[in-house]
Amino acid sequence: MENNYKYDVFISYRRNGGSERAELLKLILEKYGYNHSRIFMDTHSIESCNFKQKIKEAICFSKDFLLIITKGCFDSVKEEDYWIFEIKEALSLGKRIIPIFFDGIESIDSKKLPEELTAISEINGIIYHPQYADAFYIKLLSFINPSFTNIEKTQRSNKNLLLALICFITKVSHTLNWAITDGLKVVNL
């Protein structure tokens, strides 16, 4: 996580249908080590102030812009929607936008978008499937922090090495008539 930004991520969602998903993403990020104060989500990060100005500043000082896409989120879009304002602001600032697709959606139909937002229909995103939640979390974290993939691979490699070592010790213990008890404690029989 970089310290050049006030926030690691800005979570953008349409209130109707997106609030629960936004809360889920925030909890996932916190579970995987992101500090809650470095995750911008309007309902948690804004106190009494000029709402639009605070949103603008938060987008400016965020590393990544997570765009939650839910069923019907682009239906009846109005120019004055804060959600549309957030997306336009992220595009104008050249922020890295990461679409997160829910409700079986796998892409954004550019025909449903106002012309100034059509660029988001070209951005690669992440599809959430509840039955593959762990894979989704890993992919999300690797999009936000590419070094996470390397950390996760290293941890998996270390687990595999430990399992191989345990198998080897078990095999040797049978040959030498030793037993492994209490984890890796080896005792002579």
Side-chain angles (χ1 to χ4, degrees):
M1 292 170 251
E2 295 182 22
N3 291 324
N4 300 343
Y5 298 94
K6 183 174 182 179
Y7 303 105
D8 293 311
V9 296
F10 181 103
I11 300 176
S12 179
Y13 61 98
R14 189 158 189 194
R15 291 212 194 273
N16 186 13
S19 298
E20 298 84 15
R21 276 46 171 236
E23 290 289 346
L24 172 68
L25 285 178
K26 185 175 185 311
L27 289 172
I28 290 167
L29 292 170
E30 289 172 354
K31 178 184 174 189
Y32 284 94
Y34 282 80
N35 185 316
H36 73 278
S37 66
R38 294 191 49 88
I39 301 168
F40 184 91
M41 188 172 147
D42 61 352
T43 55
H44 294 274
S45 305
I46 296 180
E47 297 173 3
S48 179
C49 65
N50 180 324
F51 188 82
K52 196 170 191 175
Q53 184 60 36
K54 181 66 175 178
I55 292 288
K56 197 173 188 173
E57 290 170 6
I59 294 169
C60 180
F61 294 112
S62 293
K63 180 177 173 269
D64 293 314
F65 185 89
L66 301 184
L67 178 60
I68 297 177
I69 308 296
T70 57
K71 188 173 186 172
C73 67
F74 290 110
D75 296 348
S76 64
V77 169
K78 296 179 181 84
E79 186 70 28
E80 65 273 4
D81 287 348
Y82 275 109
W83 188 57
I84 299 303
F85 168 76
E86 291 172 1
I87 299 168
K88 286 180 183 177
E89 192 66 24
L91 284 168
S92 74
L93 292 171
K95 290 295 172 178
R96 182 168 61 165
I97 299 173
I98 304 171
I100 314 265
F101 300 102
F102 288 92
D103 306 328
I105 298 167
E106 296 187 4
S107 63
I108 301 170
D109 183 358
S110 63
K111 295 177 206 137
K112 290 189 172 191
L113 299 173
E115 189 174 324
E116 60 272 12
L117 299 184
T118 57
I120 64 171
S121 66
E122 309 274 328
I123 301 171
N124 187 27
I126 307 167
I127 301 168
Y128 177 79
H129 293 288
Q131 65 272 32
Y132 304 114
D134 288 338
F136 167 79
Y137 305 150
I138 290 168
K139 190 164 190 171
L140 169 64
L141 294 168
S142 69
F143 265 58
I144 296 171
N145 183 0
S147 65
F148 176 80
T149 304
N150 295 332
I151 292 166
E152 195 266 334
K153 284 179 184 172
T154 301
Q155 288 173 339
R156 194 171 347 144
S157 177
N158 289 345
K159 285 178 188 174
N160 290 341
L161 181 61
L162 181 60
L163 287 173
L165 181 61
I166 289 171
C167 289
F168 174 75
I169 291 172
T170 303
K171 190 173 183 174
V172 168
S173 73
H174 289 302
T175 305
L176 299 175
N177 201 20
W178 288 355
I180 299 174
T181 60
D182 301 323
L184 290 178
K185 184 178 174 187
V186 179
V187 292
N188 194 351
L189 295 176

